[in-house]
């Protein structure tokens, strides 16, 4: 069974790494090598776009990068499961669309479970990320887009 990695990010064991760029070593990859996770000589981590060679800052060090991945993994696992796909006939789909257009469709009321609300999950994620590496949550960071998707409940 293939091990899943949040956002396709795979960090190599701490003892493994290749010096692919002067002053930096490869410590992981994203989506099997589309992007490389690099550790600079000062310990900071960044993401390198293999196609363009562009670097985006990630974290102050590898431990912070691992912490961000753990925080996002916890955020993702604490939400409710995605609903199963619905299969219907063309007639059923037409009826559902008609009801939607007429304002007769109401969102389902889900039973209260043990899941945290999106707001609570997001607050917990932000607090944890800020405690790990606050500057890495800024608008110039590679993480910014993922944080924004979490804010919009798109993850």
């Amino acid at each position: 069974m293939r091990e899943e990695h949040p956002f396709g990010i795979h960090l190599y064991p701490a003892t493994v790494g290749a010096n692919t760029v002067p002053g930096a070593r490869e410590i992981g990859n994203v989506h099997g090598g589309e992007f490389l996770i690099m550790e600079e000589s000062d310990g900071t981590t960044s993401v390198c776009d293999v196609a363009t060679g562009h670097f985006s800052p990630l974290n102050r060090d590898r431990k912070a990068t691992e912490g961000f991945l753990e925080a996002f993994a916890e955020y993702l696992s604490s939400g409710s499961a995605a609903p199963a796909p619905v299969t219907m006939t063309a007639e059923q789909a037409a009826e559902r669309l008609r009801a939607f257009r007429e304002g007769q469709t109401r969102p389902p009321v889900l039973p209260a479970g043990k899941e945290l609300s999106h707001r609570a999950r997001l607050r917990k994620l932000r607090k944890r990320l800020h405690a790990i590496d606050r500057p890495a949550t800024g608008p110039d960071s590679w993480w910014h887009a993922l944080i924004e998707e979490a804010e919009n409940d798109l993850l």
Side-chain angles (χ1 to χ4, degrees):
M1 175 179 249
R2 186 176 161 259
E3 184 180 349
E4 292 297 318
H5 303 285
F7 314 117
I9 298 174
H10 173 70
L11 292 178
Y12 309 142
T15 57
V16 177
N19 291 328
T20 54
V21 176
R25 68 185 190 110
E26 179 183 338
I27 61 168
N29 66 63
V30 183
H31 302 301
E34 184 177 345
F35 299 93
L36 301 177
I37 308 296
M38 305 300 291
E39 183 177 51
E40 309 299 323
S41 58
D42 65 358
T44 59
T45 58
S46 60
V47 177
C48 175
D49 183 333
V50 174
T52 66
H54 176 74
F55 282 78
S56 297
L58 205 54
N59 293 100
R60 71 173 178 261
D61 57 27
R62 181 190 176 110
K63 185 176 178 182
T65 301
E66 291 169 346
F68 267 51
L69 290 172
E70 289 170 9
F72 271 107
E74 182 181 318
Y75 169 82
L76 294 170
S77 67
S78 67
S80 57
V86 176
T87 304
M88 58 182 101
T89 65
E91 294 80 24
Q92 291 169 324
E95 175 57 27
R96 193 172 218 182
L97 181 58
R98 181 201 59 75
F100 175 75
R101 287 180 175 158
E102 293 176 4
Q104 298 172 354
T105 302
R106 302 274 186 255
V109 176
L110 301 174
K114 295 181 181 178
E115 295 96 15
L116 294 173
S117 70
H118 173 253
R119 177 176 271 158
R121 291 172 52 233
L122 184 59
R123 190 177 318 114
K124 187 175 180 180
L125 174 65
R126 281 187 186 137
K127 185 176 181 180
R128 189 164 173 198
L129 295 178
H130 286 175
I132 294 169
D133 187 2
R134 183 184 277 287
T137 63
D140 294 333
S141 172
W142 186 84
W143 295 107
H144 179 71
L146 293 172
I147 294 168
E148 192 172 283
E149 286 184 9
E151 289 169 351
N152 295 319
D153 201 12
L154 298 175
L155 296 178

